[in-house]
Amino acid sequence: MNDQATSLALFCKVVDNYGDIGICWRLARQLEQEHGIAVTLWVDDLISFKRICPEVVIDCDVQQIGTVIVRHWRDQDGVFTVNDIADIVIEFFGCNIPPAYIATMALCTPQPAWINLEGLSAEEWVEGCHTLPSPHPTLSLTKYFFYPGFTARTGGLLVEANLAQQRQEFQQDPVAMAAFLTNLGVTQTEIASLKISLFCYPFAPVSELFDTWQSGDTAITCLVPEGVAIDAMQVFFGGPVVAGSVATKGALTVRILPFITQQDYDKLLWACDLNFVRGEDSFVRAQWAEKPFVWHIYPQDKNLHHVKLQAFLRRYLENTNSEGLAAMWRSWNHMGNPPEEIASAWPLFHAEMPKITEMTIIWRQHMLENGDFTSNLLRFVETIK
């Protein structure tokens, strides 16, 4: 798959603001940088894309960022010729690519490899659905489901070849870490405290968590990207907040950060002692950071997201019994009957953080044994060509 002539079209509709485009942008860059694939990324929301990639021009239909072609996916219309069709076509999370594109795919000789890149889940059924074919109802085309996951019977997790080395070099250089945090406005006093990054959905029990932290004995600095948990931030600050806003109540200092690039977000995860993450993209990146993390899962009807969270917890806690981690994750995601209280879950979690840190290191090694998602995907494509 190192042939420079190999082309790939990746279609992305942004639902979870930054998670969807975050995954697709990481995948697009890795395909190009590590495998020499010529990638065209079709995306419907350039504004969200620009938040994690400042080079994006939001009013441009076609642009090149690095060596990746980015096309603004405005609608389902369009006229395509066989020369417009990529060798590999990926639709992210069943986003329904334009019908005319699909019809033209059927006219190609050879036909492109067509992949539906599914969402991440630790549920057991994923292994049975991974790589299953789905014939088109009217055209001579077959789409294949490809699932990321946490076992060797899935596609694994997205991880760049040099990520571990970059993380190790950064975490072993306290001067570099301090300079990075200082550049974000973090003071020396805040650097010396327990540093926690917070990325969550609006309905997370942030105010309850802040109440617990500010009344505790441990000095905590919570670093929150601008635009995250706006209502809770305004309650804490007593009014509107912007990047650079900072306030201290009791043992808790909250600092609002500017929204940063993907590369800098990785560094933020590496530099903090604990990371609250959400959705899929930041959830996976936290697993590579070798730091404790708390996951806020994307909500689904009938609380189906709780099933997904429980499935991951069963795998994650398989070799380590952490009462604090389980209690914290469930309370953060409004689980339990009655719901577990943040005030009681946090002290358990905090006390177990050294053990949880060791668990994250072991878990990362297990995930690496499954191979990286992008290489696994390309190997599968070879089998269906």
Side-chain angles (χ1 to χ4, degrees):
M1 299 302 300
N2 289 318
D3 186 356
Q4 289 288 340
T6 301
S7 60
L8 183 146
L10 174 57
F11 289 82
C12 172
K13 284 190 176 179
V14 179
V15 177
D16 178 18
N17 289 340
Y18 312 110
D20 300 325
I21 184 57
I23 294 165
C24 290
W25 183 229
R26 290 189 196 276
L27 176 60
R29 293 204 317 271
Q30 189 179 11
L31 284 163
E32 184 275 322
Q33 294 172 3
E34 297 183 17
H35 299 278
I37 306 294
V39 179
T40 298
L41 173 60
W42 294 73
V43 58
D44 67 335
D45 183 353
L46 294 179
I47 294 175
S48 292
F49 191 4
K50 186 176 179 64
R51 296 291 299 276
I52 63 171
C53 180
E55 298 94 327
V56 171
V57 179
I58 61 174
D59 59 353
C60 185
D61 282 342
V62 183
Q63 57 193 295
Q64 183 168 324
I65 303 175
T67 56
V68 175
I69 302 299
V70 175
R71 301 184 68 98
H72 189 186
W73 183 9
R74 293 185 179 275
D75 51 45
Q76 291 294 83
D77 299 328
V79 177
F80 303 92
T81 70
V82 293
N83 293 327
D84 298 321
I85 307 302
D87 302 316
I88 305 169
V89 179
I90 299 177
E91 56 182 76
F92 181 74
F93 209 22
C95 61
N96 295 321
I97 61 182
Y101 195 99
I102 297 173
T104 309
M105 287 166 57
L107 302 176
C108 294
T109 304
Q111 291 181 344
W114 186 10
I115 304 293
N116 185 25
L117 174 52
E118 283 289 343
L120 177 63
S121 177
E123 295 168 282
E124 291 184 3
W125 63 262
V126 167
E127 295 181 339
C129 294
H130 179 56
T131 71
L132 281 182
S134 176
H136 192 278
T138 59
L139 299 172
S140 180
L141 281 173
T142 299
K143 176 168 58 176
Y144 293 84
F145 293 96
F146 201 87
Y147 284 81
F150 306 99
T151 73
R153 297 182 62 187
T154 68
L157 298 177
L158 193 67
V159 55
E160 299 84 355
N162 62 353
L163 185 66
Q165 180 180 349
Q166 291 176 341
R167 176 188 56 76
Q168 289 170 354
E169 290 176 353
F170 182 77
Q171 290 179 332
Q172 292 171 3
D173 187 345
V175 175
M177 280 205 295
F180 169 76
L181 292 169
T182 299
N183 191 52
L184 293 176
V186 183
T187 67
Q188 291 300 311
T189 299
E190 293 164 4
I191 291 174
S193 68
L194 182 69
K195 298 177 294 299
I196 302 175
S197 74
L198 179 66
F199 189 39
C200 63
Y201 296 110
F203 51 85
V206 175
S207 293
E208 292 87 341
L209 185 63
F210 280 6
D211 288 344
T212 299
W213 284 349
Q214 69 188 54
S215 62
D217 297 326
T218 301
I220 293 175
T221 298
C222 185
L223 304 174
V224 186
E226 186 178 17
V228 172
I230 295 175
D231 291 344
M233 294 307 112
Q234 291 182 347
V235 169
F236 185 83
F237 281 83
V241 297
V242 295
S245 296
V246 60
T248 299
K249 292 183 180 179
L252 173 63
T253 296
V254 177
R255 177 174 291 278
I256 307 299
L257 303 181
F259 217 88
I260 54 182
T261 64
Q262 283 188 321
Q263 292 88 340
D264 280 347
Y265 182 68
D266 282 336
K267 290 182 178 179
L268 180 65
L269 295 176
W270 302 342
C272 286
D273 304 297
L274 167 63
N275 297 297
F276 282 72
V277 292
R278 80 181 200 189
E280 183 173 328
D281 183 51
S282 60
F283 171 48
V284 172
R285 303 313 282 192
Q287 293 176 53
W288 301 130
E290 291 197 349
K291 295 294 183 74
F293 64 95
V294 177
W295 183 29
H296 199 205
I297 190 170
Y298 190 78
Q300 293 178 295
D301 291 339
K302 299 180 181 178
N303 286 331
L304 292 178
H305 56 296
H306 288 170
V307 176
K308 292 180 66 174
L309 188 140
Q310 290 280 41
F312 178 78
L313 275 179
R314 281 194 296 271
R315 293 191 187 277
Y316 195 51
L317 297 175
E318 196 169 32
N319 298 315
T320 304
N321 181 24
S322 174
E323 181 183 353
L325 187 145
M328 191 67 206
W329 282 41
R330 292 186 178 116
S331 60
W332 189 239
N333 286 278
H334 299 283
M335 295 175 67
N337 187 21
E340 294 170 280
E341 297 291 336
I342 290 285
S344 59
W346 168 251
L348 289 172
F349 183 91
H350 188 210
E352 291 183 347
M353 276 182 59
K355 180 173 73 172
I356 295 170
T357 300
E358 292 300 316
M359 186 177 73
T360 65
I361 296 172
I362 296 170
W363 175 260
R364 187 185 71 85
Q365 285 302 123
H366 287 332
M367 294 304 98
L368 289 174
E369 291 169 3
N370 297 327
D372 78 275
F373 175 86
T374 304
S375 297
N376 291 339
L377 172 65
L378 294 178
R379 278 193 290 270
F380 173 69
V381 165
E382 287 291 329
T383 70
I384 61 174
K385 287 178 65 176

